[in-house]
Amino acid sequence: MKYYYITGVSRGLGKALAIATAEEENTKVFGFSRNNPELNYENFEWYFADFSKNNEIENFEFPEINVTADDTVILVNNAAIIGDINFTGNKDNSKIIETYTVNIIAPAVLTNKFMNKFCNTPAKKIIMNISSGAGRHPIVSWADYCATKAAMDMYSQTVKEEISFGSCTETRIFSVAPGIIDTKMQENIRNSSPERFPYYDTFVEYKQNNLLWPPEKVADIILQILNNPDDYDNVLLDVREF
């Protein structure tokens, strides 16, 4: 049996992942988001979660399950926001705080809770953090998004080193850059302006020229990794290489 905990399932990649995993055999999928994706699968359960609120992150609890050595428990930290697209010095400070909270504080806390809950169980454990190419290459006006995704990569690599020292047996962790996907985040980017974002025209052209990947395509690749974790030695992966 595979048990999935997936954040940010209301739309985009998170919703595509929820559907893809729910359509697998012998799975139970728990989805967390601010809005209900209204998926009609008997093996899917949705829970309200607002990962922009520190108190809700701190009080977050994984739904109870009973696992055996034959089971795999998987956490997918997918929820993220682009933040305030603007030059540093002109940003909304509250949006800076929100971006760091959703993009790195929430995944770090959930990973800590996940490992605390399941490390002493015989089940196999996989942590899948959804990173970004923006965490590996700077993009003007995205300082907070780039920084939080770079933090996600380093956090994942550090946890991997801790696992190698025996902190949590039978555990794999990955940080995957999903490429440029046709999601609400891309829509938010196109709703910015050239004055605030010098690469505005480039991202508009991505949509016009059908260069954005469908979320379902990326979800299939991520599922390939989750179903065959031993095939991948690196923590940092990029779907464009598949």
Side-chain angles (χ1 to χ4, degrees):
M1 188 77 170
K2 289 183 180 178
Y3 297 91
Y4 290 92
Y5 298 103
I6 306 174
T7 69
V9 297
S10 63
R11 61 194 182 196
L13 178 58
K15 186 173 183 177
L17 281 168
I19 292 170
T21 53
E23 290 182 346
E24 285 190 309
E25 294 183 358
N26 300 316
T27 64
K28 177 70 177 181
V29 184
F30 302 95
F32 308 90
S33 57
R34 284 182 287 194
N35 297 301
N36 192 335
E38 299 181 350
L39 301 181
N40 295 316
Y41 295 92
E42 291 185 359
N43 59 338
F44 175 81
E45 291 183 17
W46 174 77
Y47 292 81
F48 174 85
D50 186 347
F51 295 113
S52 69
K53 303 287 193 300
N54 280 332
N55 63 320
E56 293 198 24
I57 298 169
E58 188 172 358
N59 294 327
F60 179 89
E61 297 291 342
F62 290 100
E64 291 294 331
I65 56 175
N66 295 315
V67 296
T68 70
D70 295 325
D71 297 326
T72 302
V73 189
I74 300 165
L75 170 63
V76 182
N77 283 311
N78 165 75
I81 56 175
I82 188 69
D84 192 0
I85 301 173
N86 208 341
F87 290 96
T88 301
N90 297 326
K91 292 176 180 284
D92 181 326
N93 290 320
S94 65
K95 291 183 179 179
I96 295 175
I97 293 169
E98 183 183 28
T99 303
Y100 280 83
T101 302
V102 174
N103 291 6
I104 189 59
I105 292 176
V109 172
L110 264 62
T111 299
N112 188 58
K113 286 176 175 283
F114 178 84
M115 293 178 71
N116 180 268
K117 187 177 185 68
F118 294 109
C119 275
N120 292 325
T121 70
K124 296 180 178 65
K125 282 79 65 176
I126 304 175
I127 300 158
M128 171 66 73
N129 292 324
I130 304 302
S131 180
S132 172
R136 301 168 193 179
H137 308 280
I139 299 178
V140 174
S141 301
W142 292 12
D144 305 310
Y145 184 74
C146 290
T148 54
K149 291 303 184 178
M152 177 75 86
D153 283 347
M154 181 54 70
Y155 177 81
S156 302
Q157 292 176 94
T158 305
V159 171
K160 189 267 183 184
E161 292 300 312
E162 294 175 355
I163 292 169
S164 72
F165 277 88
S167 70
C168 192
T169 60
E170 294 293 325
T171 304
R172 296 296 309 276
I173 185 168
F174 300 100
S175 189
V176 178
I180 304 175
I181 316 174
D182 195 4
T183 64
K184 181 69 173 179
M185 184 178 291
Q186 285 293 319
E187 183 179 329
N188 291 339
I189 293 168
R190 295 193 299 274
N191 286 335
S192 63
S193 66
E195 293 76 21
R196 294 161 57 101
F197 182 42
Y199 303 127
Y200 172 84
D201 290 340
T202 299
F203 280 79
V204 170
E205 289 171 3
Y206 286 153
K207 179 66 172 179
Q208 292 175 342
N209 296 327
N210 297 315
L211 297 177
L212 301 176
W213 284 25
E216 296 78 12
K217 178 178 180 179
V218 179
D220 287 343
I221 295 173
I222 290 174
L223 201 56
Q224 173 186 324
I225 299 168
L226 293 173
N227 286 334
N228 304 281
D230 294 337
D231 291 349
Y232 306 93
D233 295 326
N234 295 331
V235 174
L236 304 186
L237 300 173
D238 192 322
V239 300
R240 292 172 298 181
E241 297 174 357
F242 285 76

